[in-house]
Amino acid sequence: MRAQEFQNTLQGPAIFAGVGVHTGAYTRVAVRAAPADSGIVFVRTDVTDRDNRVPVSGEAVTKTQLGTVIENAAGVSVSTIEHLMAAMVMLGIDNAVVELDGPEMPIMDGSSAPFVQILDRAGRRPQDAPRRYIEIIEPIEFIDGDKRATLTPSDHFEVAFEIAFDSAAIGRQRIDMVMDERAFRTELANCRTFGFLHEVEYLRSIGLARGGSMENAVVIEGDRILNPEGLRRPDEFVRHKALDAIGDLYVLGAPILGRFEGVLAGHGVNNQLVRALLASPKSWRYRTLVTELAQAV
């Protein structure tokens, strides 16, 4: 992996809009440049009576059912951030302000590919500050029954994931790869979220999945895939789970130098791993490559 030495923000604003998969609300979004060392901050422009800035952090995650939700001390929240977060970390965007006029990020086509295209159009601008990586120096693990997520030392960012479903449409799938910008663009970015038809019907009965459709998710009924176009990849399901995990890890505020492995994990387990890492400072350290390059000269 060719690690980047300096931080980046956007060259120009990235403007887009769409419906939220759970709220069904149409939301307009503008991703704008931000100063070095400011991280990713979401701003709810529709909230004017209290603090509407929601900085991303591991502790800011308050809900993980069917997506990652962050919330500030004033109770202002933003949901379903993980697909944009995955695109930003893998495209090397360290600092940005994400303005949106609703409670949920647009789902777009259910993958990160639209966000990659939007960020590409906006462009990337280097900044003077060195990029900080989270280097894993001791293994960290979170286990919940048969679900597991781990971070272990590695010279690269590696992602491995395994899922298993009774449905013959999915079965057992596993991927294991070194993950950099090129690999993300070609191997993961276009892999969509998925769900079972009976689950979608239940979620709608309790007020969720209002914006979900075969336009933005792979829908399975029994052993059949209902989407007329089928899958984008034979193992699209596990690849999307890996994409989710990359976005969920970026709430740490820095890219990772280490190996992530998830087994039957989801947003909740991913965030518990994030919290376990934050609670174990001996297991990781910040590392910048600028100092190392200067010493090598």
Side-chain angles (χ1 to χ4, degrees):
M1 180 181 76
R2 188 180 65 82
Q4 295 173 350
E5 296 86 28
F6 291 93
Q7 295 177 28
N8 291 288
T9 189
L10 278 73
Q11 182 70 40
I15 312 294
F16 58 96
V19 299
V21 67
H22 295 302
T23 61
Y26 186 81
T27 303
R28 292 168 294 188
V29 183
V31 187
R32 304 186 187 278
D37 296 319
S38 60
I40 310 297
V41 180
F42 287 79
V43 179
R44 285 277 304 277
T45 59
D46 58 316
V47 175
T48 57
D49 62 339
R50 54 200 155 131
D51 182 13
N52 65 354
R53 292 173 58 83
V54 190
V56 172
S57 71
E59 298 87 348
V61 176
T62 55
K63 295 179 184 175
T64 52
Q65 181 191 21
L66 306 171
T68 296
V69 180
I70 55 172
E71 188 173 316
N72 67 12
V76 176
S77 66
V78 181
S79 61
T80 321
I81 66 170
E82 60 272 9
H83 300 167
L84 174 63
M85 292 294 289
M88 286 203 286
V89 68
M90 295 314 303
L91 267 62
I93 303 298
D94 302 276
N95 307 295
V97 174
V98 184
E99 300 173 349
L100 69 165
D101 64 358
E104 185 180 19
M105 281 293 298
I107 190 64
M108 311 304 278
D109 75 345
S111 78
S112 286
F115 299 121
V116 169
Q117 294 164 4
I118 289 159
L119 294 171
D120 280 346
R121 286 199 298 268
R124 187 168 59 188
R125 174 168 59 85
Q127 297 174 290
D128 288 336
R131 165 172 287 167
R132 292 197 309 177
Y133 291 85
I134 291 173
E135 182 182 21
I136 307 301
I137 54 179
E138 290 184 7
I140 280 286
E141 184 172 53
F142 178 80
I143 301 173
D144 179 14
D146 58 352
K147 303 176 179 68
R148 176 170 56 86
T150 60
L151 283 167
T152 51
S154 174
D155 291 336
H156 309 283
F157 180 38
E158 301 176 20
V159 176
F161 216 103
E162 183 175 344
I163 61 172
F165 286 85
D166 291 336
S167 168
I170 305 176
R172 183 173 290 274
Q173 300 181 356
R174 178 178 172 81
I175 61 162
D176 190 335
M177 59 183 69
V178 174
M179 186 51 52
D180 57 13
E181 180 177 341
R182 182 177 180 277
F184 183 77
R185 287 176 180 272
T186 59
E187 303 293 337
L188 295 188
N190 73 338
C191 296
R192 297 162 292 175
T193 192
F194 61 94
F196 290 88
L197 183 62
H198 68 275
E199 293 176 344
V200 174
E201 291 169 344
Y202 168 72
L203 290 170
R204 285 181 176 164
S205 75
I206 61 172
L208 294 173
R210 291 173 176 172
S213 72
M214 284 186 281
E215 298 295 316
N216 53 44
V218 178
V219 181
I220 305 139
E221 183 180 25
D223 294 329
R224 293 189 307 129
I225 293 164
L226 299 185
N227 301 59
E229 76 280 10
L231 296 175
R232 293 175 175 175
R233 298 169 185 268
D235 57 353
E236 184 171 1
F237 305 102
V238 71
R239 288 171 184 263
H240 182 79
K241 284 290 194 177
L243 183 160
D244 276 346
I246 291 168
D248 288 342
L249 290 173
Y250 197 33
V251 299
L252 285 163
I256 286 174
L257 282 178
R259 174 181 173 83
F260 169 84
E261 184 162 358
V263 177
L264 312 182
H267 300 294
V269 171
N270 294 341
N271 187 248
Q272 288 299 324
L273 179 65
V274 164
R275 291 172 184 268
L277 183 73
L278 293 173
S280 180
K282 72 180 191 312
S283 300
W284 61 281
R285 64 189 172 200
Y286 284 119
R287 178 177 167 187
T288 62
L289 303 182
V290 173
T291 305
E292 297 172 19
L293 288 172
Q295 290 172 346
V297 172

